[in-house]
Amino acid sequence: MQIQNQSKRVVAVHDLSGVGRVSLMAVIPILSSMGFQVCALPTAVLSTHTQYQSFTFLDLTSEMQRIIDQWKKYDFRFDTFYTGYLGSPQQIRIVEHFISDFRRESDLVVVDPVLGDNGKLYKGFSDEMVVGMRQLIQKADVITPNMTELFLLLGESNTEHVTDGTLKQLLMKLSEMGPEIVIVTSVPVMDQPHMTSVYAYNRCGGRFWKVTCPYLPAHYPGTGDAFTSVITGSLMQGDSLPIALDRASQFILQGIRATFGYEYNNMDGIMLEKVLHNLDLPNQISSYELLE
Ligand code: PXL
């Protein structure tokens, strides 16, 4: 028997923004700290993320296909496919083909459908991206939209406050489009402006989960990328869905707390390097709830 004790491999399809701790600059340290080999398929190189006033943007669409073709020659295998910020509808199609071509039945596909936030599409994105993303999530096992992305994917208009009952319906509707697990982040808590929730639905078993965390009044880009990276690592290491939710929510809270006390430009993201070591520890607190 050959002992299979190598690190699991995750291919990360995200942009590389030099400054701001988003996308690959968050994904690589987090998943490496959790003990996985990260293989990067960069979608673009930017000077900073797009929430800075100006930035450079080098589109890598044609290079992506060349990289994939080389990987095919070497017959590389990945245990997990994890996609985030994609630069164009054409890139979405390349990634769809890449996943169809390389994935084996037991592999995990995580799609963070990065489209927008605070009710708006990100700069440079059009409705065509939304249409493309609806296609891509059909291939996913797990998706992690925020509230804005949830409504965009469903083609419904943003509603400020949704009840638990409505949110459950929305999660089930998204899951019917393909993914077995749907996790929605940054859900406001009614009458509690200092709290925020994450809701999740697992179609296998039909259960809904919720984790509620304190909300600090600051916006940091990249928290979505860090959240989904911890979810991905946690599922790769065999954690249950509610444990993965706990782990990811607590990591983000630790990151925000580590950063919030400094006089600081929030555009620089959360200080991941101060909290990465926490990923090695067992879960300290359990806060998940089963939604009845
Ligand atoms: O964190 C999402 C993200 C990823 N990549 C780029 C971004 C953003 C959000 O602003 O601009 C380039």
Side-chain angles (χ1 to χ4, degrees), residues 136-150:
L136 183 60
I137 64 168
Q138 293 177 18
K139 294 234 174 319
D141 299 305
V142 181
I143 62 169
T144 57
N146 58 31
M147 284 294 275
T148 302
E149 291 155 349
L150 172 94

Side-chain angles (χ1 to χ4, degrees), residues 109-211:
V109 179
V110 179
V111 171
D112 185 5
V114 177
L115 289 170
D117 206 355
N118 302 312
K120 284 192 306 225
L121 280 173
Y122 286 129
K123 272 180 216 159
F125 281 5
S126 66
D127 285 346
E128 217 191 324
M129 280 301 283
V130 180
V131 173
M133 207 52 93
R134 283 186 196 134
Q135 288 276 123
L136 183 60
I137 64 168
Q138 293 177 18
K139 294 234 174 319
D141 299 305
V142 181
I143 62 169
T144 57
N146 58 31
M147 284 294 275
T148 302
E149 291 155 349
L150 172 94
F151 286 114
L152 284 168
L153 289 169
L154 288 172
E156 295 186 14
S157 49
N158 240 302
T159 317
E160 275 279 297
H161 285 297
V162 284
T163 60
D164 280 5
T166 308
L167 205 47
K168 279 180 168 178
Q169 295 297 323
L170 297 173
L171 291 178
M172 276 166 50
K173 238 169 135 178
L174 260 189
S175 173
E176 277 164 20
M177 291 165 75
E180 188 166 299
I181 293 178
V182 178
I183 302 171
V184 62
T185 58
S186 64
V187 183
V189 181
M190 191 94 80
D191 300 326
Q192 289 191 284
H194 300 299
M195 301 300 274
T196 177
S197 295
V198 170
Y199 285 68
Y201 172 60
N202 190 344
R203 196 174 64 224
C204 168
R207 289 192 287 181
F208 294 87
W209 305 96
K210 173 165 132 174
V211 174

Side-chain angles (χ1 to χ4, degrees), residues 17-36:
S17 291
V19 172
R21 297 189 186 87
V22 304
S23 46
L24 284 179
M25 296 309 292
V27 174
I28 296 171
I30 289 173
L31 282 160
S32 299
S33 296
M34 295 179 85
F36 302 109

Side-chain angles (χ1 to χ4, degrees), residues 3 29 35 47 55 58 72 95 111 175 184 187 200 204 228 279 292:
I3 296 173
S47 51
F55 48 87
L58 175 66
K72 183 86 183 161
V95 173
V111 171
S175 173
V184 62
V187 183
C204 168
T228 306
L279 291 170
E292 296 299 345

